[in-house]
Amino acid sequence: MTSRAGCAPCGTGRCRALGSPAPQLPAASARTQATRCRRSDNRSVRQSEPRSRKPASETRARLLAVAVDRVRGEGLLLDYSNIELEDLIRVSGVPRSTVFRIWPDRVAFVADLVRALFEADPGFQTGFDGETLELLEGTLAQAGDRARSQEDQQIALRSMVQATVAHNIVAVDGSVAWRAYRTMSAALASGDSVPGGAEIRALLSEIEGAYVDRMAVMYARVNGAIGFRMRQGVTERDLAVAIMSVIDGMSDHRRIDPAFVDEPRFVDMGAEGAQGWHLAALAVYGVYSCLTEPVSNDTA
């Protein structure tokens, strides 16, 4: 018998809706018909529900987070071979179509990845890592308490360089962002073919320019605190580029022979007598002394 609620095989009412009496089907045929009706019902429900898609911003953040974790663990290889989009999509579980709408190719993704690495690095935003910045602030506070003789100014400069450079070079070497930057810049400098060479060069120029601008502001503040000024013909940006070059070059040598670079050099630089200096600190002091000069009290 057929119920008023629906057809005999499926109970959905679809067979009666066709206007014909429900057929008396064998058991096997009834099960087949019931399955068909349920499938039809499920298709109708699926079609009536909107498709759920992850927002592009969520997909972007998720894929970059997975890539950042990979670079932290493995580094960034010269040919970006460990940054394959298809593999990252699989690991992160994000929609493939959305990924390729955001980044048309791997070079575009690598550019965003490097930006993300620097944005997550507090040292890039402030000029120094947190501990180096604390050391700098401490030496500047002490310099403000000194008499402003030129000898005191030189002592303040040497104290600032000694306290910050030895610590900063270790922090730079441990920075994932700066390691990626050095890898990419070394690849470009080598003359080898680098995927997306022009785009990567523009990206590195953008990152370096932003960092140099921040450091120029920092050195202007340091000069004011310890009573120095730039020599005529050079600027704080020149000082920032020169010191950054020293730190980058010394970091390269330190990776090869850390014991040699880190071994203290006991040098008599002035009224303080012989003191232990990190080799990088001596080099930075030489650059700083060459490009700046103390401001005497009568011309300050």
Side-chain angles (χ1 to χ4, degrees):
M1 294 294 292
T2 304
S3 70
R4 292 182 180 274
C7 72
C10 66
T12 64
R14 290 186 173 277
C15 295
R16 285 188 66 85
L18 299 177
S20 58
Q24 299 297 319
L25 299 174
S29 298
R31 285 194 296 272
T32 301
Q33 179 66 15
T35 300
R36 288 173 181 168
C37 289
R38 282 194 295 271
R39 287 176 179 170
S40 176
D41 242 11
N42 290 339
R43 282 196 297 271
S44 298
V45 172
R46 285 197 300 269
Q47 289 170 359
S48 64
E49 294 176 349
R51 290 184 178 180
S52 60
R53 287 183 177 175
K54 290 184 179 180
S57 59
E58 183 181 329
T59 296
R60 181 181 186 278
R62 173 61 182 156
L63 200 69
L64 284 172
V66 170
V68 166
D69 284 345
R70 178 166 296 182
V71 173
R72 283 175 177 157
E74 304 175 2
L76 181 64
L77 302 185
L78 286 176
D79 58 356
Y80 322 140
S81 59
N82 60 334
I83 305 297
E84 291 287 352
L85 280 177
E86 295 289 356
D87 181 47
L88 293 172
I89 290 169
R90 179 185 59 78
V91 172
S92 60
V94 297
R96 184 178 185 277
S97 58
T98 305
V99 168
F100 284 100
R101 279 198 300 271
I102 300 171
W103 300 286
D105 53 41
R106 183 170 57 171
V107 171
F109 177 75
V110 169
D112 260 7
L113 170 60
V114 173
R115 285 192 186 93
L117 287 169
F118 275 95
E119 288 170 2
D121 188 331
F124 178 66
Q125 302 300 326
T126 61
F128 294 112
D129 65 283
E131 291 186 21
T132 300
L133 195 58
E134 286 182 12
L135 291 169
L136 175 63
E137 296 291 352
T139 57
L140 293 185
Q142 292 175 6
D145 296 335
R146 292 178 183 273
R148 283 307 185 96
S149 70
Q150 290 199 4
E151 182 61 34
D152 285 336
Q153 290 166 329
Q154 291 288 353
I155 291 172
L157 173 59
R158 289 192 289 269
S159 176
M160 184 269 294
V161 171
Q162 278 185 297
T164 57
V165 172
H167 188 280
N168 184 241
I169 196 169
V170 176
V172 166
D173 198 42
S175 165
V176 176
W178 281 110
R179 287 205 305 268
Y181 170 86
R182 293 293 294 149
T183 295
M184 298 169 81
S185 61
L188 289 172
S190 70
D192 295 336
S193 177
V194 179
E199 293 88 345
I200 296 302
R201 189 180 300 277
L203 169 65
L204 296 185
S205 178
E206 172 192 331
I207 291 172
E208 184 173 308
Y211 181 76
V212 168
D213 287 342
R214 289 188 179 94
M215 292 307 299
V217 172
M218 176 70 74
Y219 289 131
R221 178 172 166 248
V222 168
N223 285 345
I226 62 177
F228 275 73
R229 66 187 174 195
M230 300 305 301
R231 294 184 187 273
Q232 187 174 358
V234 290
T235 68
E236 286 85 357
R237 288 190 98 254
D238 298 325
L239 180 62
V241 171
I243 291 178
M244 184 172 69
S245 300
V246 169
I247 296 298
D248 284 349
M250 199 68 70
S251 294
D252 288 342
H253 287 291
R254 187 174 181 274
R255 291 188 199 101
I256 297 169
D257 193 349
F260 175 80
V261 174
D262 291 342
E263 181 183 357
R265 273 72 173 178
F266 288 87
V267 184
D268 187 344
M269 303 295 292
E272 312 94 303
Q275 291 184 321
W277 284 74
H278 192 282
L279 186 58
L282 281 171
V284 168
Y285 177 66
V287 169
Y288 215 118
S289 298
C290 179
L291 299 184
T292 65
E293 60 186 2
V295 180
S296 60
N297 288 329
D298 56 350
T299 61

